[in-house]
Amino acid sequence: MQSPLPVRDGVNATRLRLPDEGPWTTAMDYMMHRWGHIDPQGIEDRFDAGEIVGEGGVPLDRSTRLEDHTFIWYYRTLPPETRLPVEINILHQDEHILVVDKPHFLPTTPGGTYIQESALVRLRNLLNLPDLIPMHRLDRMTAGLLLLSTNPETRGKYQVLFEKRQVQKEYECVSAATPAAGFPAVEFPAVVRNRMTKSRSYLLAEVIHGEPNAETRIEQTKTFDAGTHQCALYRLEPHTGKTHQLRVHMASLGLGIVNDAFYPDLLDKAPDDYGKPLQLLARGITFVDPISKERVEYRSRLKLSEARD
């Protein structure tokens, strides 16, 4: 559903669905029920200023009945954020798409404690493109190629490519050269297929029994001395896009990615260590452009810090 409020400071207005019934007479009564313990005066001031709107952008006031609107929109009060010490590099921009190198530690879209400090909001503000929308996502800890739509009129043509899996993605990672103790040797190239689901545990994905819904082709491209042990650079080709798929699949082989705080073991929460980024990079993306009808390929210019030439 299209928001009647424009993007402000790179951030979309928040949409709230009002309940069909309940002990609340007005829309403001319901908002007080939800958030009045946090900022009751702020809620009243927003209604008085007409800053909360319904369908069609109609301003609500203190007396607007609950049943008058199904959805309402408003701008959240955003807490100050410390700028993350990482930068986005623009690789390509035209009237339809934007291709960037997203750094480690920067989330793709706003969420949780990261609003202004997300790739989407940074780019909207930097380029004055309020309609900018990512065509896919990279984990906050994963760096590399990110494709975004700059044009709402042609956005659907690119979205279809991702929906129909007509976009080929290539990743790189650094892991141990041989599996951890207790895991069998791996013959490369290897294909990992299993069934993955988002765990009920904190942020984790897990492998369960059932028909496979996740598949990754893994190739070891070179090995090198990492001091006390041998490491290797791997080329990963995901044929599906499950949450944390590449990290889970590498860990399932006993080859957990260097600096992964989730897999194979969930480490205690700690502040970001910018000197030890997850060694996972979205290296390449290839597809037939739906506008030009030509096959295009974009390559990341970033390099994994633990990789060796």
Side-chain angles (χ1 to χ4, degrees):
M1 180 178 292
Q2 184 69 33
S3 171
L5 293 176
V7 171
R8 187 170 75 179
D9 296 328
V11 182
N12 295 87
T14 296
R15 186 183 73 176
L16 174 67
R17 183 185 179 96
L18 298 178
D20 295 329
E21 57 183 18
W24 312 283
T25 302
T26 65
M28 191 178 82
D29 289 341
Y30 179 67
M31 290 198 72
M32 284 293 190
H33 166 75
R34 291 284 301 270
W35 296 291
H37 62 289
I38 299 175
D39 184 20
Q41 186 61 54
I43 293 175
E44 292 179 348
D45 291 345
R46 289 185 184 192
F47 275 98
D48 291 342
E51 294 179 353
I52 299 176
V53 305
E55 292 90 340
V58 177
L60 279 63
D61 58 34
R62 296 191 186 204
S63 63
T64 301
R65 296 177 303 171
L66 183 72
E67 63 269 22
D68 286 353
H69 294 275
T70 302
F71 294 99
I72 60 176
W73 288 263
Y74 61 96
Y75 295 111
R76 288 179 291 170
T77 300
L78 302 177
E81 296 178 55
T82 301
R83 186 175 176 86
L84 298 176
V86 294
E87 300 299 329
I88 304 174
N89 294 317
I90 296 174
L91 304 177
H92 171 83
Q93 182 178 359
D94 60 36
E95 60 182 312
H96 305 291
I97 61 172
L98 173 71
V99 184
V100 302
D101 257 337
K102 185 191 82 67
H104 293 103
F105 302 104
L106 188 71
T108 298
T109 55
T113 59
Y114 303 98
I115 306 299
Q116 293 292 330
E117 284 307 285
S118 63
L120 177 60
V121 174
R122 274 199 191 184
L123 290 166
R124 280 177 171 176
N125 291 330
L126 174 67
L127 302 173
N128 191 27
L129 292 173
D131 289 326
L132 195 66
I133 292 292
M135 294 289 92
H136 60 113
R137 294 191 183 190
L138 295 179
D139 291 342
R140 187 171 80 88
M141 293 302 183
T142 303
L145 287 177
L146 181 64
L147 177 69
L148 304 99
S149 163
T150 61
N151 188 342
E153 295 183 2
T154 59
R155 181 167 300 152
K157 297 180 183 295
Y158 291 92
Q159 288 174 327
V160 167
L161 298 180
F162 286 91
E163 292 169 359
K164 294 186 175 181
R165 299 181 182 175
Q166 295 175 347
V167 177
Q168 290 76 52
K169 300 177 184 178
E170 175 192 339
Y171 289 74
E172 288 179 351
C173 75
V174 175
S175 302
T178 57
F183 287 85
V186 181
E187 183 177 345
F188 295 103
V191 176
V192 178
R193 296 186 187 90
N194 52 30
R195 185 166 190 83
M196 290 181 56
T197 185
K198 190 70 177 292
S199 171
R200 295 180 181 178
S201 303
Y202 176 66
L203 290 179
L204 297 181
E206 61 182 350
V207 176
I208 60 174
H209 292 293
E211 184 71 20
N213 63 357
E215 178 178 328
T216 306
R217 183 183 185 276
I218 302 170
E219 180 181 355
Q220 189 180 86
T221 59
K222 66 179 179 179
T223 60
F224 53 88
D225 188 357
T228 59
H229 60 284
Q230 286 283 308
C231 277
L233 184 67
Y234 293 87
R235 183 174 186 265
L236 312 175
E237 296 178 356
H239 297 291
T240 52
K242 297 298 180 182
T243 300
H244 294 175
Q245 176 178 316
L246 301 179
R247 298 162 72 174
V248 170
H249 281 181
M250 288 298 292
S252 73
L253 298 177
L255 298 169
I257 298 174
V258 172
N259 297 333
D260 193 340
F262 284 9
Y263 310 97
D265 300 309
L266 178 62
L267 305 182
D268 291 336
K269 175 70 174 176
D272 290 338
D273 185 343
Y274 297 103
K276 294 183 177 180
L278 175 70
Q279 295 298 287
L280 179 61
L281 173 68
R283 171 59 69 192
I285 189 168
T286 306
F287 57 91
V288 175
D289 189 281
I291 307 299
S292 69
K293 307 302 181 183
E294 296 179 354
R295 189 169 184 81
V296 295
E297 179 180 11
Y298 299 101
R299 305 289 292 178
S300 173
R301 297 175 186 169
L302 299 176
K303 181 179 178 180
L304 292 172
S305 58
E306 296 296 326
R308 300 287 186 271
D309 293 328

